[in-house]
Amino acid sequence: MVWASMDRSAITGGTGLAGTGHLTLVLLVVFMGLYGVLEVLVDLSARAIVPQLVPSSRLAAANGRTMASERVFDDFIGRPVGGVLVVAGAGWLFGAAAAVGVAVVLLLALGLTGRFRPGDALPGTAAESEAPPAGTQLAERTGALREIRQGLAFLFGHPVLRPVAIMASVANLASAAYMAVFILWVVGPGSAIGLTAGQYPLTMVAMAAGAILASLAIEPLKNRLPEVPLMLTGWMAQVPLLILPVLAPRLDVLLAAWFLCGFCNMTGNVLVMTLMQRLTPNRLLGRVNGATSTMAFGLMPLGALSGGFVGEQFGLPVVFVGAAALLGLAVLYAVLAIPGRRAGGTGGDLRPADRTVQRVLRAGVVGGGPGLR
């Protein structure tokens, strides 16, 4: 995580060539592609390290606060400051971004001491209770593609994580289709709602505000309500909220719907992350997160293309209603596929499935076996 953050700072500083007139379109595309790769590495590392830092009972709170801080810095600090720096000039913009990156590296290096390798844990944390089976050890690194396959083997062998991952991936596809054309419904004199370009950010602020409120409320909600039903309700509640701006295309309705959508979306996302961290053995968490991200992000370009095509051929309302319906079907699949005894609990009975872990161990994910082929 530290090394990836250092590389991100270097790339951001490299884009400062714009201030000298030497930044070409090809270089910009390369820089952004590399930055995106490093962004994924940092995000996956951050998710995998959380169970090594907090007890299992506080995973939802830790994930909620982490995601809340991301939304605060992205939506309420980063965007306004970025706008000011754009006006000041490219040198200020990229120089300030690189300086922030260096500060993040120093914060991680000085504030997060320790090696934090898979299988390690601090006393009292969620990962401490995990002990690898006797005679096994973490497999040697064998390449990114093989590790993704190993993560997929565990993910699709788990009775709870499999339907959750499929639901989240299909939800990402539906969201990408919806948001790819949503601005056409909202902004411009010929749009349904008729917002100006300056008013559009208000919708994102409303969604971010709802998400931040949910990230703070998730722990008390989780302590009072069953965990999996709460997660599924958060996802399903978004279905009517996504259709509401189509049925009542007004700014006040849109802001209310987006606030509630942000709240429900953050609730579902935090609980999905918490389930994955708690149900996956710590030594496999990075690989399972990588496999899940490959599925979820891999479907987003397809969703965006589908949204544009359907919108052009059949109209924007068809895209919005279709995306909401697809999300509803994905959640319904998860409701039916997750074993009933697990879906009804508060979370304490959700443990990694022993038979799934043993199958993966015998397949060579962990230990000295021949490995997955």
Side-chain angles (χ1 to χ4, degrees):
M1 186 160 56
V2 173
W3 285 107
S5 297
M6 290 176 61
D7 292 337
R8 285 197 304 177
S9 299
I11 290 174
T12 306
T15 55
L17 290 171
T20 65
H22 292 89
L23 182 65
T24 66
L25 179 60
V26 173
L27 276 177
L28 180 61
V29 170
V30 171
F31 282 150
M32 292 301 98
L34 292 174
Y35 191 93
V37 171
L38 294 170
E39 181 81 11
V40 172
L41 291 176
V42 171
D43 287 346
L44 293 180
S45 299
R47 294 175 189 174
I49 203 174
V50 170
Q52 301 182 59
L53 299 174
V54 299
S56 180
S57 61
R58 301 302 309 280
L59 280 176
N63 289 321
R65 283 156 177 72
T66 300
M67 293 183 182
S69 65
E70 291 177 1
R71 296 304 293 262
V72 168
F73 280 96
D74 281 351
D75 296 323
F76 294 104
I77 298 178
R79 297 181 194 275
V81 171
V84 172
L85 293 175
V86 166
V87 174
W92 283 98
L93 175 64
F94 295 117
V100 170
V102 171
V104 169
V105 171
L106 292 175
L107 179 64
L108 289 173
L110 299 177
L112 204 60
T113 57
R115 304 181 72 177
F116 297 104
R117 292 187 174 183
D120 297 338
L122 295 176
T125 61
E128 185 195 18
S129 59
E130 285 185 10
T136 62
Q137 60 182 12
L138 190 68
E140 296 288 334
R141 295 187 64 85
T142 54
L145 289 178
R146 188 173 182 182
E147 291 185 1
I148 290 173
R149 290 168 58 192
Q150 291 168 347
L152 288 170
F154 179 84
L155 184 65
F156 280 94
H158 198 288
V160 175
L161 294 183
R162 179 179 63 251
V164 168
I166 292 174
M167 175 195 70
S169 298
V170 175
N172 264 18
L173 184 149
S175 175
Y178 191 104
M179 297 307 297
V181 296
F182 181 68
I183 193 171
L184 301 177
W185 183 257
V186 175
V187 177
S191 65
I193 299 181
L195 299 186
T196 65
Q199 291 174 316
Y200 182 72
L202 294 175
T203 64
M204 299 297 104
V205 169
M207 182 175 287
I212 292 170
L213 179 61
S215 68
L216 300 175
I218 190 65
E219 188 175 27
L221 286 174
K222 177 178 169 293
N223 291 336
R224 290 169 173 80
L225 300 171
E227 184 173 27
V228 175
L230 178 60
M231 174 192 70
L232 296 174
T233 300
W235 286 99
M236 185 63 83
Q238 296 175 69
V239 174
L241 293 173
L242 292 174
I243 299 176
L244 198 55
V246 180
L247 300 178
R250 304 198 314 267
L251 177 59
D252 56 341
V253 174
L254 176 60
L255 292 178
W258 252 218
F259 177 85
L260 294 174
C261 204
F263 186 96
C264 295
N265 184 265
M266 179 63 81
T267 300
N269 281 335
V270 169
L271 291 177
V272 165
M273 181 59 56
T274 302
L275 278 178
M276 294 194 64
Q277 290 168 339
R278 195 152 42 77
L279 299 184
T280 305
N282 181 249
R283 58 195 181 279
L284 296 177
L285 185 55
R287 300 180 187 189
V288 172
N289 280 337
T292 307
S293 296
T294 300
M295 293 171 51
F297 291 116
L299 289 175
M300 290 183 72
L302 177 61
L305 290 173
S306 301
F309 175 79
V310 173
E312 184 176 8
Q313 297 297 319
F314 304 103
L316 298 181
V318 175
V319 178
F320 304 141
V321 174
L326 184 59
L327 173 60
L329 291 174
V331 179
L332 180 61
Y333 158 74
V335 170
L336 298 175
I338 294 176
R341 68 178 183 86
R342 291 179 173 86
T346 59
D349 60 336
L350 291 174
R351 302 177 183 275
D354 293 337
R355 286 178 294 179
T356 301
V357 175
Q358 291 304 318
R359 282 200 302 270
V360 177
L361 292 175
R362 287 196 297 270
V365 177
V366 178
L372 296 177
R373 291 182 174 85

